[in-house]
């Protein structure tokens, strides 16, 4: 306030060359003071003082608001779970979040339960490790693990060095014997380079097993795999494991460079991918439910993030009709440094305070744990107050609690200002109130290539206003609208052929997500007169 006051009173008088030239003194005419002008000037001074006083209050309020906004993020803390041999991933038993499975890169898996650490599996004889990025990368326990004892593993093989294996083991008692290891899909050749293997396994909301593969390594997608729909490299693969024998791995998404880590939002089912960049951008890709990325092309090597890429893949000359799926978030890869994004999870642990509902991620080279709100990634990106040397992965247990894995040995659980109580399957997610989304059309027959009027409504209404609903034509997202004051939203899609529509509303901290019934609209021909 002193600075503003000084700037108001100083320059006017300090720079004048005769008395009274400022707002506060009398003006001079023919050597005599003109007091009428002085009274006008006084009123002007009073007016300006009032204006400046109001402006100062507004500025001070804005500064205070900004301070409160920045300071409202309560920094997370960590609790060390244990120290391990080159840990690279962690998950838990689906029905017991307190039983953690820690994956060690050389080919071993250990169990942590009630403070006790014990061996669970050892497949080092089958794993090629640890040249460049090779090794045992991750595991996924079957949803019925408690009864079936089945778990799935992603690793680079020893017999044909570098080839990618998605395999299965079955427990016997408290361990999984090496003799139970068998391939679920045919091994994927990956011998030319030791980097860009991908490495994530996750069960999706549809019950299928999903796997991520890198582009085959080297630079610029030199083997031209990412855009090749016949190659299984540079992809997200969808697998429905067979109890016996091999099964096919369907290409689900393409155009990825090295999607080392991806995850599904445990509440909404959305697919989040952290794709490691080359020398321009590190990126986070989003494939929303219910489509979760089927047939999505994330652009590499035609694009690197949202920037033009090397574009040496022949398919770049004919982009997909639906366009490339560009990242929802990205950051620069420093020219003189290192960057390698580690994709994380949307936080669904209520104990994490205002981090709940935000997407957590990190960088292997930097080690800082950061997060952003999915609704506004760039505007809300922030540091969470945690640094993990050699950050290699995040993990999530069946209660939604999050973990950070350091390649140097430690495994940490992320803690917030609140507490999280888990008691097995019954409390593995936050209990949400049920919700409903309905859909209807003004008419189910529309003249060809004209627009239909589709209305959606959400119930319960209280607490939902301002939220978002999304219209889908098959697996294609046609757009999102805000829920208005009467908890409805309207869409105007063009009807060129018979089309089926559904509307979805995402879960929030109070209500569960929902999907509408299917609505079919038919085009009718124009009648010529």
């Amino acid at each position: 306030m002193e600075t503003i006051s000084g700037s108001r009173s100083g320059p006017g008088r300090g720079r004048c060359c005769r008395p009274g030239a400022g707002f506060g003194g009398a003006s001079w005419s023919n050597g005599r003071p003109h007091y009428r002008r002085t009274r006008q000037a006084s009123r002007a001074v009073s007016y300006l003082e009032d204006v400046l006083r109001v402006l100062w209050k507004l500025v001070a309020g804005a500064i205070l608001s900004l301070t409160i906004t920045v300071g409202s993020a309560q920094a997370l803390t960590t609790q060390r779970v244990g120290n391990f041999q080159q840990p690279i991933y962690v998950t838990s038993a689906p029905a017991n979040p307190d039983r953690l499975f820690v994956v060690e890169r050389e080919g071993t898996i250990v169990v942590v339960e009630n403070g006790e650490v014990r061996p669970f599996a050892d497949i080092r004889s089958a794993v090629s490790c640890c040249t460049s990025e090779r090794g045992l990368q991750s595991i996924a326990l079957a949803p019925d693990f408690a009864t079936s004892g089945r778990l799935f593993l992603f690793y680079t093989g020893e017999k044909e060095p570098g080839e990618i294996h998605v395999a299965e083991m079955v427990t016997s008692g408290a361990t999984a014997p090496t003799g139970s290891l068998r391939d679920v899909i045919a091994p994927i050749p990956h011998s030319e380079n030791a980097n860009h293997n991908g490495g994530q396994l996750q069960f999706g909301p549809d019950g299928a097993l999903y796997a991520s593969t890198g582009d085959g390594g080297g630079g610029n997608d030199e083997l031209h795999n990412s855009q090749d729909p016949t190659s299984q490299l540079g992809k997200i693969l969808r697998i429905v494991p067979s109890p016996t024998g091999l099964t096919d791995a369907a290409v689900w998404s393409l155009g990825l460079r090295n999607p080392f880590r991806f995850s599904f939002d445990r509440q909404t089912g959305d697919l989040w991918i952290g794709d490691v960049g080359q020398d321009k951008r590190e990126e986070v890709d989003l494939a929303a439910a219910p489509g979760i990325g089927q047939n999505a092309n994330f652009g590499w090597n035609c694009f690197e993030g949202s920037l033009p890429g090397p574009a040496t893949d022949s398919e770049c000359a004919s982009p997909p009709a639906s366009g490339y799926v560009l990242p929802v978030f990205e950051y620069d890869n420093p020219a003189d440094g290192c960057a390698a994004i580690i994709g994380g999870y949307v936080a669904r642990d209520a104990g994490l305070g205002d981090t709940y509902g935000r997407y957590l991620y990190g960088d292997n080279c930097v080690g800082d744990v950061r997060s952003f709100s999915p609704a506004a990634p760039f505007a809300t990106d922030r540091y969470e107050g945690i640094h993990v040397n050699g950050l290699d992965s995040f993990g999530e247990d069946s209660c939604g609690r999050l973990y950070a894995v350091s390649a140097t040995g430690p495994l940490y659980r992320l803690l917030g200002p609140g507490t999280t109580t888990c008691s097995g399957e019954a409390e593995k997610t936050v209990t949400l109130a049920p919700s409903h989304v309905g859909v209807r059309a003004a008419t189910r027959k529309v003249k060809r290539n004209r627009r239909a009027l589709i209305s959606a409504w959400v119930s319960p209404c209280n607490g939902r206003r301002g939220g978002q609903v999304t219209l889908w034509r098959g697996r294609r997202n046609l757009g999102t609208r805000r829920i208005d004051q009467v908890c409805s939203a309207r869409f105007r899609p063009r009807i060129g052929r018979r089309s089926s529509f559904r509307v979805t509303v995402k879960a929030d901290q109070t209500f569960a997500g929902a999907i509408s019934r299917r609505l079919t609209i038919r085009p009718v021909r124009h009648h010529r007169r």
Side-chain angles (χ1 to χ4, degrees):
M1 185 174 293
E2 292 177 356
T3 302
I4 293 178
S5 175
S7 65
R8 184 188 71 218
S9 60
R13 284 193 290 269
R15 295 178 184 175
C16 67
C17 56
R18 64 178 188 264
F23 280 116
S27 64
W28 288 71
S29 176
N30 297 323
R32 293 180 296 180
H34 198 301
Y35 289 106
R36 183 170 180 270
R37 185 177 295 273
T38 300
R39 287 193 295 271
Q40 291 174 339
S42 297
R43 286 195 294 270
V45 169
S46 177
Y47 173 75
L48 284 175
E49 286 178 340
D50 291 341
V51 170
L52 288 170
R53 191 176 295 111
V54 171
L55 288 175
W56 169 246
K57 289 180 179 179
L58 291 174
V59 171
I63 294 172
L64 179 60
S65 175
L66 179 61
T67 303
I68 291 173
T69 300
V70 173
S72 66
Q74 296 167 302
L76 302 182
T77 59
T78 61
Q79 177 185 59
R80 184 179 290 225
V81 176
N83 206 66
F84 305 91
Q85 184 67 38
Q86 294 190 66
I88 196 168
Y89 188 64
V90 62
T91 187
S92 81
N96 183 0
D98 295 321
R99 188 184 184 196
L100 296 178
F101 292 76
V102 181
V103 178
E104 297 175 323
R105 185 180 171 193
E106 291 184 350
T108 52
I109 304 170
V110 297
V111 169
V112 182
E113 187 173 13
N114 298 324
E116 179 186 358
V117 180
R118 61 180 184 273
F120 176 75
D122 186 345
I123 62 165
R124 283 176 291 179
S125 60
V127 174
S128 172
C129 186
C130 294
T131 303
S132 186
E133 298 167 8
R134 290 174 176 169
L136 176 59
Q137 304 291 322
S138 71
I139 64 172
L141 279 66
D144 63 350
F145 176 76
T147 55
S148 71
R150 301 172 73 196
L151 69 149
F152 300 87
L153 308 89
F154 187 115
Y155 66 93
T156 53
E158 178 65 31
K159 290 184 179 180
E160 296 293 335
E163 67 180 5
I164 293 172
H165 292 258
V166 176
E168 177 192 54
M169 299 182 80
V170 180
T171 59
S172 176
T175 63
T178 306
S180 69
L181 181 69
R182 71 171 187 89
D183 285 327
V184 173
I185 64 173
I188 302 172
H190 194 297
S191 60
E192 288 85 350
N193 300 291
N195 61 341
H196 299 187
N197 303 292
Q200 184 69 58
L201 287 180
Q202 291 274 6
F203 276 95
D206 58 353
L209 180 65
Y210 289 81
S212 62
T213 62
D215 65 5
N220 295 328
D221 190 16
E222 61 189 44
L223 302 175
H224 307 295
N225 287 311
S226 287
Q227 290 294 322
D228 182 356
T230 66
S231 169
Q232 292 181 320
L233 294 175
K235 308 295 190 295
I236 298 292
L237 305 177
R238 183 179 185 272
I239 304 165
V240 180
S242 168
T244 59
L246 299 177
T247 189
D248 292 331
V251 172
W252 186 256
S253 305
L254 69 160
L256 294 161
R257 183 175 180 270
N258 189 26
F260 178 56
R261 291 292 178 245
F262 71 85
S263 65
F264 292 98
D265 184 336
R266 62 191 290 108
Q267 284 193 2
T268 67
D270 294 344
L271 171 62
W272 291 85
I273 306 170
D275 195 12
V276 181
Q278 180 162 281
D279 53 17
K280 294 180 180 178
R281 293 287 171 85
E282 304 297 309
E283 68 180 78
V284 177
D285 299 308
L286 169 63
I292 57 173
Q294 185 176 19
N295 300 322
N297 188 328
F298 294 102
W300 174 254
N301 76 3
C302 313
F303 283 84
E304 182 177 350
S306 62
L307 300 178
T312 55
D313 290 353
S314 60
E315 291 82 1
C316 295
S318 53
S322 58
Y324 298 110
V325 179
L326 297 182
V328 295
F329 181 77
E330 59 185 348
Y331 58 92
D332 289 336
N333 194 318
D336 57 349
C338 163
I341 191 168
I342 302 296
Y345 294 80
V346 175
R348 296 302 182 187
D349 178 355
L352 295 182
D354 68 356
T355 304
Y356 181 92
R358 297 172 66 89
Y359 178 76
L360 268 75
Y361 73 97
D363 192 290
N364 177 259
C365 301
V366 180
D368 291 346
V369 176
R370 303 185 66 86
S371 77
F372 59 75
S373 168
F378 291 98
T380 60
D381 181 51
R382 74 186 186 202
Y383 174 50
E384 289 292 344
I386 296 175
H387 180 85
V388 178
N389 288 327
L391 178 65
D392 236 5
S393 184
F394 292 93
E396 182 184 54
D397 66 25
S398 56
C399 183
R401 297 175 298 195
L402 297 180
Y403 301 81
V405 180
S406 168
T408 63
L411 167 65
Y412 303 98
R413 181 187 158 197
L414 306 187
L415 302 175
T419 58
T420 306
T421 303
C422 299
S423 57
E425 186 72 20
E427 292 186 31
K428 74 176 185 179
T429 60
V430 178
T431 302
L432 299 175
S435 65
H436 171 77
V437 57
V439 62
R440 61 171 173 257
T443 176
R444 295 198 179 193
K445 293 182 179 180
V446 178
K447 290 182 179 180
R448 190 177 299 276
N449 295 324
R450 297 290 179 86
R451 294 187 181 275
L453 175 59
I454 296 178
S455 299
W457 68 96
V458 177
S459 64
C461 185
N462 289 338
R464 310 303 290 276
R465 298 176 181 89
Q468 295 182 335
V469 292
T470 302
L471 180 68
W472 301 84
R473 177 187 279 141
R475 296 185 177 91
R476 183 182 176 188
N477 182 335
L478 296 185
T480 299
R481 298 287 186 273
R482 293 283 182 184
I483 301 171
D484 62 21
Q485 290 300 308
V486 293
C487 284
S488 66
R490 291 176 175 81
F491 300 86
R492 297 297 302 269
R494 192 178 299 277
I495 307 299
R497 53 184 171 80
R498 175 174 172 165
S499 302
S500 293
F501 300 90
R502 301 186 87 173
V503 175
T504 59
V505 58
K506 289 187 176 182
D508 56 26
Q509 296 188 39
T510 304
F511 296 96
I515 185 169
S516 74
R517 63 179 176 84
R518 186 174 286 106
L519 172 70
T520 301
I521 299 179
R522 298 178 177 85
V524 294
R525 294 182 179 179
H526 294 281
H527 295 288
R528 296 182 179 178
R529 295 182 179 179

